[in-house]
Amino acid sequence: MTLILISIVVLVSLGVLFGIALGVANKVFYVKEDPRIAKIEESLPGANCGACGYPGCAAYAEAVIKGEEIDKCTPGGKDAIAALSEVMGKKAGKQKTRRIAYLICQGDRELAPRRSEYTGVKSCAEVKLVGGGDKSCSYGCFGYGDCEDVCPFDAIHIMENGLPEVDEQKCTACGKCIVACPQNVLILQPLGKEVLIRCVNHEPAKDVMKECKVGCISCSMCFRACPIDGAITMEDNLAIMHYEECVDCGICAQVCPKNSITDKRSQERKIPVINEEKCNGCTLCYRKCPVDAIIGGKPKEKHVIKEEQCIGCLKCYDVCRFDAIDLVKERPKTIEFYKDKKYNRTNKEYVKR
Amino acid sequence: MDFGRLFVIAISAIFVNNFVLARFLGICPYLGVSKKWDSALGMGIAVIFVMTLASFITWIVQHFLLAPPSGKYDLTDILQTIAFILTIAALVQFVEIVMKKAMPDLYKALGIYLPLITTNCAILGVTLLNIKNDYNLIESIVFGISAGVGFTLALLMMASIRERLESAKVPKVFKGIAIALIVAALMSLSFTGFSGLIAE
């Protein structure tokens, strides 16, 4: 009996002792923590994907308190930005449109055949180690699905033609596939990017012709036709698109002899004409035009499109709320206006580079 | 003080009776935290830290509370396990609170691993073995440190192997935890080579 009593006394005293010690320690050594950290963590998706550039959502939450931008979380999207701006009381910078991954290679099994039979581990990183891969083109997509394996959102899948396809709905632009791809043929661009140069082969034209039916042969047609200065440059036997300059007019896709450049709206591309009856001079199209081809600007003044200057990017057509823009005229292959005036680029200039 | 005896205790805890590979204590973090070398190291250091402190505190609890020197009562059989668990949990909590204030850098370095190992069987194992082997205070502390070092050694070896396994050609059915268990078994097997190093 006494033993039981002693046990109870000892254990209770032990518990009370520790309880008091912890209680006192908690008061004495109390560290103030920002209550906003917990709030921010709650509103983040918790996928710990690292798209924001921090190791996990908790680290990003702490960084936000210290002044990091609140729009870094791609999987969270608009909801996360809204929640974060409420907690932090600041607005996100200019809202970026949602981005997704794009494949910049078109060499499927038929267009860019295999040059050897590879029976090793089904991994792009592995096949690259074996003599630069089993594909005729050593720059293109191998199609063994390293991107598919690494995608945490099930948004990228290898199709029957041996190339991956990105699910626009599921992709959150976390960037894991971009890192995993040994060929660097995946890029992140805004959802709705229409025109892309889809070749990364740096070899001379002669070799590219042998390797792939849709490879860039560096003929520089796109470079010369492009109305925007600096949107396309020729580098090392390859046309390179500079995405921050490109306005998606699709002229490059129109002139490319090898179909290395794709344009989602190639069928639509026409010179727009403003329907005077419907136009009420809201200036939306005027502000949106990347090449100043629309006359107007004063409110209520009806707009007119300068035909010779228009590149047919259809930005005005997309933005008009009054259905006042019609697509009627066939677009010429090159816009002479830009050739003759400020953007006079010649093949010589390209060679000099 | 007998340094020879302390040396024997240390070698025994690190190699011959390695906590993970020979006593099979602390298997959970051994498989759970051994995927990456960095986190394995963090866990290992946290374990060394807690084991050392726990050895110290529980020795005092045992010899002044459970079985006081006066010899009036002996509660070892009845209360030892629960009292030690309570002690370790409270101790780790206490250390965490103090460290957060006094050494925020160390607190961040140990991170989640400190509270994680509070209820680990390896920690409790050390403290119970201290008493069972009749170690004095110094010996207990040395045993605690070397048990932690042994644990860290096993964990780091496992992490290195598993990092290499990531890029190795492992048959599909063995991928992941299956091959990890096979590796663990082989490591344990190889550590039996140390048995007989020290005559008990």
Side-chain angles (χ1 to χ4, degrees):
Chain A
M1 191 62 203
T2 44
L3 204 59
I4 295 175
L5 268 179
I6 294 171
S7 324
I8 291 171
V9 169
V10 166
L11 205 59
V12 166
S13 57
L14 208 60
V16 170
L17 195 74
F18 287 140
I20 292 172
L22 282 181
V24 169
N26 207 14
K27 274 272 178 290
V28 173
F29 298 102
Y30 182 68
V31 180
K32 266 194 183 171
E33 212 169 43
D34 205 322
R36 292 177 298 176
I37 292 183
K39 270 190 187 173
I40 290 178
E41 260 196 87
E42 249 170 56
S43 48
L44 291 172
N48 291 324
C49 69
C52 51
Y54 291 91
C57 297
Y60 177 56
E62 255 175 58
V64 167
I65 298 295
K66 283 178 190 150
E68 175 62 275
E69 293 293 324
I70 60 172
D71 57 356
K72 289 277 166 84
C73 180
T74 33
K78 280 179 190 160
D79 296 343
I81 293 176
L84 259 63
S85 77
E86 197 175 304
V87 176
M88 295 299 295
K90 71 176 181 186
K91 278 188 180 164
K94 205 183 167 193
Q95 284 247 337
K96 288 176 212 147
T97 41
R98 195 161 80 84
R99 295 190 301 167
I100 62 165
Y102 286 93
L103 175 72
I104 46 172
C105 171
Q106 298 186 91
D108 60 24
R109 287 189 191 284
E110 269 177 42
L111 295 169
R114 307 274 148 173
R115 64 173 176 197
S116 58
E117 197 178 328
Y118 173 73
T119 53
V121 182
K122 296 271 180 264
S123 148
C124 309
E126 297 265 353
V127 74
K128 190 180 170 72
L129 296 175
V130 189
D134 61 345
K135 204 174 184 177
S136 55
C137 165
S138 57
Y139 288 87
C141 171
F142 292 134
Y144 286 111
D146 282 13
C147 46
E148 186 176 349
D149 293 344
V150 81
C151 181
F153 302 100
D154 192 36
I156 189 163
H157 296 284
I158 301 294
M159 291 310 182
E160 251 174 42
N161 66 358
L163 291 180
E165 213 171 273
V166 179
D167 188 330
E168 291 185 359
Q169 301 300 319
K170 288 182 184 166
C171 180
T172 64
C174 71
K176 289 225 157 123
C177 53
I178 279 99
V179 175
C181 180
Q183 297 293 77
N184 296 325
V185 288
L186 285 165
I187 53 162
L188 285 181
Q189 283 301 314
L191 181 69
K193 174 81 179 130
E194 291 155 9
V195 185
L196 284 170
I197 297 182
R198 295 181 68 189
C199 181
V200 288
N201 193 322
H202 279 287
E203 279 167 57
K206 199 178 142 200
D207 299 328
V208 177
M209 292 286 263
K210 276 185 219 154
E211 287 164 1
C212 178
K213 291 194 177 107
V214 287
C216 172
I217 52 171
S218 60
C219 65
S220 81
M221 294 273 274
C222 53
F223 166 70
R224 278 175 284 154
C226 179
I228 308 297
D229 208 17
I232 294 180
T233 54
M234 302 300 303
E235 281 163 32
D236 213 7
N237 294 321
L238 181 66
I240 309 272
M241 179 178 274
H242 298 274
Y243 304 102
E244 64 279 9
E245 305 281 343
C246 176
V247 297
D248 276 350
C249 70
I251 288 181
C252 48
Q254 210 175 343
V255 297
C256 182
K258 296 289 288 179
N259 292 328
S260 315
I261 306 180
T262 55
D263 180 4
K264 267 190 206 159
R265 302 172 74 181
S266 57
Q267 298 307 313
E268 275 180 81
R269 302 280 182 203
K270 281 179 181 159
I271 298 286
V273 168
I274 289 174
N275 184 335
E276 273 192 37
E277 280 170 27
K278 286 185 185 167
C279 177
N280 66 354
C282 70
T283 74
L284 262 180
C285 56
Y286 169 78
R287 274 181 281 164
K288 204 79 186 175
C289 182
V291 289
D292 302 330
I294 297 182
I295 304 172
K298 284 176 200 152
K300 304 291 172 199
E301 183 190 358
K302 298 212 187 272
H303 298 287
V304 180
I305 293 174
K306 288 185 257 177
E307 201 180 293
E308 77 282 359
Q309 205 167 331
C310 174
I311 55 173
C313 65
L314 307 187
K315 292 267 189 298
C316 50
Y317 174 76
D318 293 341
V319 83
C320 186
R321 292 178 193 167
F322 306 99
D323 199 20
I325 295 177
D326 301 322
L327 301 179
V328 280
K329 288 195 170 172
E330 237 10 87
R331 182 174 65 172
K333 268 208 165 185
T334 48
I335 311 275
E336 293 300 321
F337 180 84
Y338 299 98
K339 275 197 114 68
D340 300 341
K341 292 196 174 161
K342 46 182 174 176
Y343 310 112
N344 188 11
R345 265 165 276 137
T346 59
N347 211 11
K348 238 186 204 166
E349 195 184 333
Y350 157 50
V351 173
K352 209 165 63 190
R353 275 165 200 265
Chain B
M1 200 183 301
D2 188 355
F3 279 104
R5 187 169 151 76
L6 292 184
F7 184 71
V8 168
I9 287 173
I11 293 296
S12 155
I14 296 174
F15 295 110
V16 184
N17 292 318
N18 185 297
F19 262 68
V20 178
L21 299 170
R23 290 192 204 268
F24 307 114
L25 291 169
I27 297 293
C28 169
Y30 175 60
L31 288 172
V33 201
S34 61
K35 270 191 184 155
K36 283 200 178 115
W37 209 86
D38 293 342
S39 44
L41 188 65
M43 183 75 185
I45 289 171
V47 167
I48 297 177
F49 187 73
V50 173
M51 273 188 177
T52 313
L53 271 178
S55 300
F56 175 70
I57 297 287
T58 51
W59 193 90
I60 291 174
V61 168
Q62 166 72 24
H63 289 274
F64 289 91
L65 266 173
L66 297 183
S70 58
K72 274 184 188 155
Y73 59 90
D74 186 356
L75 302 171
T76 312
D77 296 337
I78 315 166
L79 283 184
Q80 195 183 41
T81 308
I82 188 156
F84 279 10
I85 290 176
L86 183 68
T87 310
I88 294 166
L91 168 78
V92 173
Q93 199 60 47
F94 183 79
V95 168
E96 208 187 343
I97 292 169
V98 173
M99 210 152 72
K100 205 171 177 181
K101 177 86 175 178
M103 294 170 277
D105 288 339
L106 187 63
Y107 175 75
K108 264 188 195 155
L110 293 182
I112 184 74
Y113 304 117
L114 195 57
L116 244 169
I117 48 170
T118 311
T119 48
N120 193 275
C121 59
I123 313 284
L124 186 65
V126 170
T127 57
L128 292 178
L129 284 170
N130 276 334
I131 309 305
K132 196 181 154 205
N133 292 350
D134 276 334
Y135 289 148
N136 63 31
L137 189 57
I138 304 290
E139 286 168 349
S140 291
I141 293 171
V142 169
F143 186 67
I145 295 174
S146 16
V149 170
F151 179 87
T152 311
L153 180 77
L155 201 61
L156 287 181
M157 277 163 47
M158 187 65 171
S160 315
I161 295 173
R162 284 183 82 176
E163 275 192 354
R164 289 204 177 187
L165 277 179
E166 289 283 308
S167 56
K169 285 182 191 170
V170 180
K172 207 167 190 178
V173 283
F174 286 134
K175 270 210 168 133
I177 204 75
I179 191 77
L181 285 170
I182 292 171
V183 167
L186 289 175
M187 272 173 72
S188 176
L189 214 62
S190 62
F191 258 66
T192 54
F194 286 116
S195 65
L197 193 67
I198 293 167
E200 291 283 340

